[in-house]
Amino acid sequence: MADDNSTFRQQPQMPDKQKRQFLQLGALSLGVAGLGMAGLGLTSLPLAATTTTAKVVPGLQLYTLRDLMAQSVADTLKLVAGVGYTQVEFAGYFDQTARQLKNIIDSEGLSAPSCHQPLEALQQNLDGVIEQALVMGHQYLVLPYLYEAQRQTLDQYKALAVFLNQAGERIKAAGLQLAYHNHEFEFITLSGAMPYDVLLNETDSNLVQMELDLYWVIKAGLNPLDYIAKHPGRFPLWHVKDMDNAGDFADVGKGVIDFKPIFAKASQAGLKHAYVERDHTDNKIETIRQGFSSLSSLLT
């Protein structure tokens, strides 16, 4: 099998402060098996398996811990499992083969329903990406980001929609689902149209679904509920990240976004997997613990 061990969007070197934090995380993770949830001080957190509806459980987008993943995939995933997560979404394989990663997540009682794959990988090595996904047990392959040169004109988005339909057909034939993850830039009008609307309207909903990043929709000044109402069932994956008063990132449940009315429409959206994410955080332990607790409550 040809493995594409892309580590896109990684930081190449961990600052000293983060190295110290990683050592703390590693020490915590080593005690998970013997100490259980109490060893991490998490006895008061609700268990995902018993506090969710429609089998949606709190997941974690591993981009949140990307620099820790670059140092030790095994220790980082042990930590994630110790906090209580049972689902993760990968953003790069960090020099591991799909088989190596599958063995690690299996050993920690984790599953990876979805994975981010850059546009270049989908364009140049789609068969390899699909093969990896089948080994990993992914259900969704997600296009996570467009570089600036890839999103200058509306025609580029129209061409992307054509490609996504073509790739989505091949992915669907393999028993998987293609999805597209938004940022803020898809909501900036180009040539009189909104690129996100182009992607929604010019792709086949059976071939291309959407991973709805709630933070970025709200950051763009729009309401996720409007998209859910207009395109029901189109949003099986969500990124759940919060916003502070200044419009920057915050731990889930500690910011200004009112998630309750959004989660009230989870069924209409077609929600199947919800992932805590924070793009930048100085306290990774607190971020993933707080995210697990808050998302568990939202899914109750």
Side-chain angles (χ1 to χ4, degrees):
M1 180 178 71
D3 282 289
D4 175 14
N5 294 315
S6 171
T7 54
F8 55 92
R9 297 173 70 193
Q10 277 183 237
Q11 295 178 347
Q13 185 63 37
M14 184 184 294
D16 289 341
K17 179 179 179 181
Q18 293 179 345
K19 287 182 181 177
R20 290 195 297 271
Q21 186 178 52
F22 179 73
L23 291 175
Q24 296 171 351
L25 291 173
L28 283 171
S29 69
L30 291 175
V32 168
L35 297 177
M37 294 291 282
L40 289 175
L42 299 176
T43 52
S44 63
L45 293 184
L47 294 177
T50 59
T51 61
T52 59
T53 59
K55 298 183 180 179
V56 180
V57 300
L60 179 68
Q61 165 49 256
L62 291 170
Y63 183 67
T64 308
L65 304 179
R66 59 196 177 279
D67 40 11
L68 304 186
M69 289 284 286
Q71 294 295 308
S72 175
V73 170
D75 282 347
T76 304
L77 291 174
K78 183 179 288 293
L79 169 75
V80 169
V83 169
Y85 293 98
T86 58
Q87 293 186 354
V88 294
E89 181 177 59
F90 278 89
Y93 285 168
F94 296 88
D95 297 322
Q96 305 283 317
T97 67
R99 179 56 61 190
Q100 288 170 328
L101 281 178
K102 184 63 164 64
N103 289 338
I104 294 172
I105 62 175
D106 284 351
S107 70
E108 298 299 339
L110 297 169
S111 66
S114 54
C115 176
H116 282 189
Q117 289 287 352
L119 181 58
E120 294 82 1
L122 297 176
Q123 290 173 328
Q124 300 169 16
N125 187 30
L126 185 55
D127 288 341
V129 168
I130 290 172
E131 192 174 2
Q132 287 179 329
L134 294 174
V135 172
M136 286 290 292
H138 299 323
Q139 301 163 29
Y140 296 86
L141 292 171
V142 184
L143 173 57
Y145 185 75
L146 298 175
Y147 292 106
E148 189 170 356
Q150 298 170 328
R151 49 180 165 90
Q152 292 295 302
T153 69
L154 197 66
D155 284 342
Q156 286 178 298
Y157 282 99
K158 289 178 177 290
L160 177 62
V162 172
F163 169 75
L164 292 178
N165 280 328
Q166 294 170 345
E169 190 169 9
R170 290 171 61 186
I171 290 168
K172 179 75 76 173
L176 306 170
Q177 177 67 56
L178 179 61
Y180 180 90
H181 168 272
N182 67 276
H183 284 77
E184 184 182 11
F185 51 75
E186 293 92 346
F187 303 100
I188 298 172
T189 299
L190 293 174
S191 301
M194 190 173 289
Y196 197 64
D197 291 340
V198 169
L199 294 178
L200 279 168
N201 296 327
E202 297 192 14
T203 58
D204 185 328
S205 61
N206 292 317
L207 301 177
V208 184
Q209 296 190 325
M210 297 291 175
E211 181 168 66
L212 190 64
D213 191 304
L214 302 176
Y215 170 92
W216 288 117
V217 175
I218 293 168
K219 178 81 169 177
L222 300 169
N223 191 335
L225 291 174
D226 293 336
Y227 282 96
I228 292 170
K230 191 172 182 180
H231 302 275
R234 196 76 188 270
F235 307 98
L237 309 173
W238 291 4
H239 277 188
V240 185
K241 66 177 81 165
D242 215 334
M243 180 186 297
D244 67 14
N245 287 318
D248 206 344
F249 304 113
D251 287 348
V252 178
K254 295 294 187 179
V256 299
I257 296 178
D258 185 4
F259 289 108
K260 288 184 178 179
I262 303 172
F263 275 81
K265 298 297 184 180
S267 178
Q268 183 182 12
L271 179 64
K272 292 181 171 33
H273 303 286
Y275 299 107
V276 169
E277 186 186 32
R278 181 167 174 173
D279 293 32
H280 303 286
T281 174
D282 291 330
N283 191 332
K284 294 175 175 57
I285 296 175
E286 180 59 24
T287 290
I288 66 174
R289 289 175 61 182
Q290 171 65 29
F292 180 82
S293 178
S294 292
L295 186 50
S296 294
S297 296
L298 288 166
L299 292 169
T300 301

